[in-house]
Amino acid sequence: MTTFPKGLMISAPSSGTGKTTVMLGLLRALKDDGLTVQPFKSGPDYIDPAFHLAAARRASFNLDTWAMDDTLLDAVTTQAQGADICVGEGSMGLFDGVATRGQSGFGSSAETALRMGWPVVLVIDVGGQAQSAAATALGFKMYNPDLPFAGVILNRVASPRHDRLTRLGMERAGVKVLGSLPRRGDLALPERHLGLIQAVEHPDLEAAIAGYAAFLRENVDIDAIRAVASSAAAPAPRALPRPPAQRIALARDAAFSFTYPHLLEGWRAAGAEILPFSPLNNEAPAKDADLVWLPGGYPELHGSTLAAADTWRKGMAEHAKTKPVHGECGGYMALGEALIDKDGTRHQMAGLLGLVTSYEKRKFHLGYRRAALEAPMPGFDSGAFLRGHEFHYSTILDEPDAPLARVMDADGNPVPETGSVKGHVTGTFFHLITGEQP
């Protein structure tokens, strides 16, 4: 490999500070400057990478130290080859992770930055404080002295006086200020219960991203941010995960869109054919597909449309007679008998599993998952261990089929969402990230 691109990590003390706005604006500003920009997302988020793709016009990939071993992390990192600069977006707060070590770490953004050799740019919401924000920045700078700390971007600054006082505190603390963003109410991306809406649903995403880039260019020292980029040694060449079949019919529309980009890239790189189809448009999967895969998404927002999609349902049933079908989270729910939406309306689903789920009384399910398969599923034999992430608000009302796996959280505690298997059909509530190497 030639010289590996330098990079940096956009992180924050906590969620909700505006780092995604900064990330998208920076990606577009750097691209507009003529750079080939490689985005990454630290952690298991499967919504942000689609926004990164829209901003940088280059696929974004997740780096996850809890779920991924060193080999897979190297393989994902290698996707930056040919870029001029890497920009990673952290998840939650910079040092937030789980309590029990996973494949190569605890899942924090700080671990990702350390592994990649990326200096951290901390986005701090300074609303309601001035000089005191410097104490927060200083604490983050000193918490792990081995972590390179580039400086801060101040967000939601109320006035020139507020900016002057906050900068004074940062100067006293020895923290470099890379930019100062005035408070604006029109910069927040639309959200729903899983966080941001999907990129494909944004009413005018291109205009929003262009606005973020212009806002950053007016208020942030882009050249200084480019100058702080750095990186560790280039990763060893590795292959991404192999495909579970040769011809994969992949549901892809506003109801089904959450698949980790490194999996799809690995499938394509190994020669698999991805055959997209849309259940919302009442499309059946390709008849010559070897496997049908339904990703997660928001089927609960499209219950009546899916219930009326008879061509889709018949095509799924025909395929499942002889060949495998797998669904994740929303895809798993769509494979079930019925889905009850938040208003209590029951919608018929594919009926390939007996699963009945409901959003009428929302219950939050969030966290890493480690699963020991009790039956085979596409790409994995019975007994294999998988790692993934679960994030949904649905409640199981009926799950009559055989359990697919013993599923545990990050600390090894059992969780009740075991997934299901019936004939050639399997499903899980967690989104697959990787299978563990034996």
Side-chain angles (χ1 to χ4, degrees):
M1 183 184 296
T2 57
T3 304
F4 197 71
K6 297 179 179 180
L8 50 93
M9 173 70 76
I10 305 297
S11 191
S14 65
S15 298
T17 62
K19 67 175 180 289
T20 297
T21 300
V22 171
M23 176 72 174
L24 297 181
L26 180 60
L27 290 175
R28 177 56 59 85
L30 293 172
K31 184 185 182 303
D32 287 347
D33 286 344
L35 298 181
T36 300
V37 189
Q38 175 60 60
F40 288 99
K41 176 68 181 185
S42 182
D45 186 293
Y46 32 74
I47 296 178
D48 285 349
F51 283 92
H52 297 173
L53 169 63
R57 307 284 168 77
R58 185 174 168 115
S60 178
F61 296 92
N62 299 78
L63 293 164
D64 192 315
T65 58
W66 185 87
M68 298 178 176
D69 62 15
D70 288 331
T71 298
L72 182 52
L73 286 167
D74 280 348
V76 175
T77 303
T78 302
Q79 303 308 305
Q81 189 171 6
D84 298 311
I85 190 171
C86 300
V87 184
E89 180 181 359
S91 55
M92 302 181 293
L94 176 61
F95 296 103
D96 294 328
V98 295
T100 303
R101 184 179 176 86
Q103 294 263 65
S104 54
F106 297 87
S108 74
S109 301
E111 287 176 331
T112 301
L114 270 171
R115 192 180 196 283
M116 301 296 291
W118 291 341
V120 172
V121 175
L122 201 69
V123 180
I124 297 184
D125 181 351
V126 298
Q129 57 183 329
Q131 291 99 321
S132 295
T136 297
L138 184 60
F140 274 82
K141 181 179 180 180
M142 298 179 64
Y143 186 80
N144 184 346
D146 295 329
L147 181 64
F149 191 89
V152 298
I153 293 175
L154 311 178
N155 194 22
R156 298 172 186 143
V157 177
S159 66
R161 178 177 178 273
H162 185 200
D163 179 58
R164 187 168 63 254
L165 292 173
T166 307
R167 285 177 180 268
L168 179 62
M170 295 295 174
E171 183 179 331
R172 288 173 177 168
V175 174
K176 184 176 180 63
V177 177
L178 296 165
S180 179
L181 303 176
R183 180 184 295 157
R184 274 177 54 179
D186 61 339
L187 286 176
L189 285 163
E191 296 189 10
R192 68 160 62 95
H193 56 272
L194 293 188
L196 298 178
I197 66 167
Q198 301 171 90
V200 296
E201 299 174 291
H202 195 286
D204 197 349
L205 183 57
E206 177 59 29
I209 291 172
Y212 300 158
F215 185 53
L216 243 67
R217 204 177 286 282
E218 292 169 7
N219 297 287
V220 172
D221 190 339
I222 304 292
D223 290 337
I225 289 180
R226 287 178 59 174
V228 302
S230 183
S231 68
R238 308 282 191 183
L240 290 168
R242 294 189 59 80
Q246 175 60 33
R247 292 175 59 79
I248 304 170
L250 181 74
R252 180 66 85 192
D253 55 29
F256 306 101
S257 64
F258 299 160
T259 307
Y260 284 106
H262 71 276
L263 292 179
L264 297 182
E265 183 63 28
W267 296 355
R268 293 190 186 99
E273 296 177 76
I274 308 296
L275 310 170
F277 71 101
S278 171
L280 287 182
N281 289 329
N282 199 18
E283 295 173 0
K287 291 183 178 180
D288 59 351
D290 303 312
L291 163 67
V292 175
W293 190 283
L294 266 63
Y298 292 107
E300 70 275 16
L301 301 180
H302 307 277
S304 58
T305 303
L306 291 171
D310 54 337
T311 301
W312 164 68
R313 196 159 39 250
K314 290 174 184 175
M316 294 288 293
E318 189 63 29
H319 182 99
K321 288 178 181 177
T322 58
K323 292 180 287 188
V325 174
H326 182 72
E328 294 185 330
C329 200
Y332 176 39
M333 290 183 272
L335 292 178
E337 187 65 35
L339 187 155
I340 299 167
D341 65 22
K342 63 182 178 63
D343 298 320
T345 304
R346 183 184 176 102
H347 302 284
Q348 180 185 359
M349 293 290 110
L352 301 182
L353 296 170
L355 181 72
V356 178
T357 50
S358 173
Y359 283 84
E360 194 171 11
K361 294 181 179 179
R362 300 198 321 168
K363 184 179 180 182
F364 193 28
H365 303 265
L366 169 68
Y368 285 120
R369 299 292 182 256
R370 185 169 184 257
L373 290 180
E374 297 188 334
M377 63 166 270
F380 300 97
D381 294 328
S382 179
F385 279 90
L386 312 182
R387 289 188 183 243
H389 188 263
E390 186 173 337
F391 192 175
H392 64 93
Y393 283 85
S394 59
T395 299
I396 297 171
L397 300 185
D398 195 12
E399 197 173 30
D401 302 310
L404 176 64
R406 289 183 296 106
V407 184
M408 298 151 280
D409 66 15
D411 296 322
N413 302 308
V415 298
E417 292 82 16
T418 62
S420 300
V421 55
K422 181 181 180 182
H424 296 102
V425 183
T426 55
T428 66
F429 265 115
F430 65 84
H431 298 254
L432 175 69
I433 297 174
T434 186
E436 289 185 28
Q437 297 298 320

